Amino acid sequence: MLDPTTFGVFLSAAIALAITPGPGILYVMTRTLKGGKREGVMSSFGTAVGGMVHVFAAAFGISVIFATSALAFNLVKYLGAAYLIYLGIKTLRSSGSLIDMTTLQSAGSQRAFLQGITVEVLNPKTALFFLAFIPQFINPEGIVFAQFLMLGTLSITLNTSADLVVALLAGPLGQRLATNRRLQARQRYLTGTGLIALGGYVALTGSNQD
């Protein structure tokens, strides 16, 4: 399985990404501001279920790729590192408000839960991110499927925990993020540089291991 150092790097990166405002957190925040805390909490659970669908699908896909060719597995890792760097650059170059209060309407807790699942399952960026992020920390000598499933589940748990905190504090957080452009710029800078650093780290680490 994973050595302590690799797992420590993964855990640090996963926590940092979980608490950084991104599409998932902003969706939950907007849902909460529109429909209340219960609706926000249910949407958090919905996105968690949708995220696990991607985890199982990606775990199966990566396992098949590794069983077919170790070279293809390494290629996926390098492409993933490049994708993380691309996401970081794109984030740094983005602009505009983080929250669009006109896109969602209150829908009730049950519908919020189901919509959270649908939104996450149909989001190709989630699938691409898991395929880019998690393989960087997998030990090819272990059971690839089990490792991916463990890391993916841990990542989803951290993301959902952050979403639940946001659902409980959405009022003050939402107002600050929606109106404070300096805070928005700082969020984009931290997210973008973090993704670029992570992509560069895993790419260089992989090169040193070859």
Side-chain angles (χ1 to χ4, degrees):
M1 297 297 286
L2 299 180
D3 63 85
T5 300
T6 301
F7 182 75
V9 173
F10 169 82
L11 188 60
S12 299
I15 292 174
L17 292 171
I19 64 177
T20 300
I25 283 182
L26 298 178
Y27 169 77
V28 171
M29 181 181 295
T30 308
R31 174 61 71 193
T32 305
L33 292 173
K34 282 291 186 179
K37 292 181 180 179
R38 180 176 177 80
E39 199 166 303
V41 168
M42 294 305 292
S43 66
S44 299
F45 289 140
T47 56
V49 172
M52 286 305 301
V53 172
H54 286 295
V55 168
F56 275 98
F60 178 77
I62 291 296
S63 299
V64 170
I65 290 174
F66 178 70
T68 303
S69 169
L71 178 61
F73 178 76
N74 287 328
L75 180 61
V76 168
K77 292 185 66 174
Y78 284 117
L79 289 175
Y83 181 68
L84 292 175
I85 295 173
Y86 163 76
L87 286 179
I89 295 174
K90 184 178 180 180
T91 300
L92 290 176
R93 298 181 63 183
S94 65
S95 60
S97 178
L98 291 171
I99 301 177
D100 184 1
M101 291 294 292
T102 66
T103 57
L104 291 177
Q105 300 296 328
S106 178
S109 58
Q110 183 176 0
R111 181 175 291 184
F113 174 73
L114 296 176
Q115 193 172 61
I117 296 176
T118 303
V119 167
E120 196 69 5
V121 168
L122 297 181
N123 185 2
K125 293 181 179 180
T126 301
L128 288 173
F129 182 77
F130 278 124
L131 288 172
F133 178 59
I134 295 179
Q136 314 300 334
F137 304 95
I138 289 178
N139 180 4
E141 297 180 359
I143 303 175
V144 173
F145 182 87
Q147 292 179 73
F148 200 110
L149 191 60
M150 180 190 72
L151 296 178
T153 300
L154 178 56
S155 181
I156 292 292
T157 301
L158 292 171
N159 291 342
T160 303
S161 298
D163 289 345
L164 290 173
V165 171
V166 166
L168 297 176
L169 302 176
L173 284 176
Q175 292 299 323
R176 289 194 65 188
L177 280 173
T179 59
N180 193 323
R181 292 190 176 276
R182 179 176 297 180
L183 186 60
Q184 293 178 25
R186 186 177 303 170
Q187 179 271 329
R188 286 194 295 270
Y189 175 78
L190 291 175
T191 303
T193 54
L195 288 170
I196 292 172
L198 179 60
Y201 169 81
V202 296
L204 293 174
T205 300
S207 298
N208 293 333
Q209 292 175 345
D210 289 341

